[in-house]
């Protein structure tokens, strides 16, 4: 599956590499084999696992459980080294830039793709799949693409 297909599937299912809300830390570790940084809050009951452009948020109950996550595609426009390392480890090459049209084309071809609600957020258009609790933020900036994202590029895809 292409990385674009993986992201489209994430929107449709609320799961990335099989990990979604309620997944355990063990399941996350088994699904993603890549360098990370854990940032635990000062109370010790929530954590962010940061893989560079993919993050999972976790809460501590009896075990760490996923409460959300995001693919921060805007980071790839500047940090192209991450995509090479991710591809070597996980076999998925994420694009430096991804337009909403490209992603939506892949998403709309999925069987049983949930409906999306479009919300104008000013600098961003949000496309939200309420069923899966996934939102896509698309740049509304009227600037042309350069080393930063331009109009119509996907900024992030978030679960939560």
């Amino acid at each position: 599956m292409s990385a674009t297909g993986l992201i489209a599937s994430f929107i449709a299912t609320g799961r990335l590499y099989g990990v979604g809300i309620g997944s355990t830390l063990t399941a996350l570790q088994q699904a993603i084999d890549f360098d990370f940084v854990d940032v635990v809050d000062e109370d010790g009951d929530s954590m962010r696992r940061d893989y560079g452009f993919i993050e999972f948020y976790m809460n501590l109950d009896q075990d760490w459980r996923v409460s959300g996550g995001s693919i921060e595609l805007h980071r790839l426009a500047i940090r192209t080294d991450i995509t090479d390392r991710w591809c070597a480890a996980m076999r998925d090459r994420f694009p430096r830039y991804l337009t909403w049209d490209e992603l939506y084309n892949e998403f709309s071809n999925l069987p049983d793709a949930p409906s999306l609600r479009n919300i104008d957020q000013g600098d961003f258009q949000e496309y939200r799949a309420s069923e899966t609790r996934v939102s896509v933020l698309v740049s509304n900036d009227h600037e042309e693409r350069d080393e930063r994202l331009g109009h119509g590029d996907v900024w992030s895809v978030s679960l939560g």
Side-chain angles (χ1 to χ4, degrees):
M1 175 185 306
S2 71
T4 304
L6 182 72
I7 297 168
S9 175
F10 179 41
I11 299 165
T13 65
R15 302 187 81 68
L16 182 63
Y17 294 106
V19 176
I21 292 176
S23 294
T24 63
L25 179 59
T26 301
L28 177 57
Q29 290 170 323
Q30 291 172 346
I32 299 179
D33 183 21
F34 194 75
D35 297 335
F36 60 88
V37 173
D38 283 339
V39 180
V40 179
D41 77 339
E42 57 189 46
D43 295 331
D45 58 1
S46 66
M47 174 174 70
R48 176 175 51 92
R49 176 156 289 186
D50 188 342
Y51 293 98
F53 72 102
I54 292 177
E55 299 178 346
F56 283 93
Y57 314 111
M58 308 190 86
N59 291 326
L60 184 59
D61 190 10
Q62 292 182 2
D63 189 8
W64 288 107
R65 297 236 176 234
V66 172
S67 60
S70 63
I71 305 171
E72 301 293 333
L73 290 168
H74 61 93
R75 294 182 183 171
L76 299 180
I78 298 169
R79 303 244 355 250
T80 57
D81 61 307
I82 296 175
T83 59
D84 293 337
R85 290 185 305 112
W86 188 269
C87 185
M90 298 296 293
R91 306 289 186 247
D92 294 310
R93 178 161 302 279
F94 282 80
R96 183 173 180 195
Y97 304 101
L98 177 62
T99 68
W100 170 243
D101 290 343
E102 292 168 311
L103 180 55
Y104 185 75
N105 184 52
E106 190 82 29
F107 173 78
S108 64
N109 287 320
L110 293 174
D112 301 323
S115 62
L116 299 175
R117 186 175 55 157
N118 182 357
I119 305 163
D120 186 346
Q121 299 283 353
D123 290 340
F124 295 97
Q125 285 296 123
E126 177 183 2
Y127 297 92
R128 178 138 181 92
S130 296
E131 293 173 40
T132 60
R133 298 174 57 183
V134 177
S135 289
V136 180
L137 287 182
V138 178
S139 176
N140 247 354
D141 189 346
H142 292 289
E143 298 295 318
E144 292 295 319
R145 181 190 291 162
D146 51 23
E147 70 276 354
R148 297 181 358 187
L149 301 183
H151 182 76
D153 285 327
V154 176
W155 181 266
S156 66
V157 183
S158 302
L159 169 67

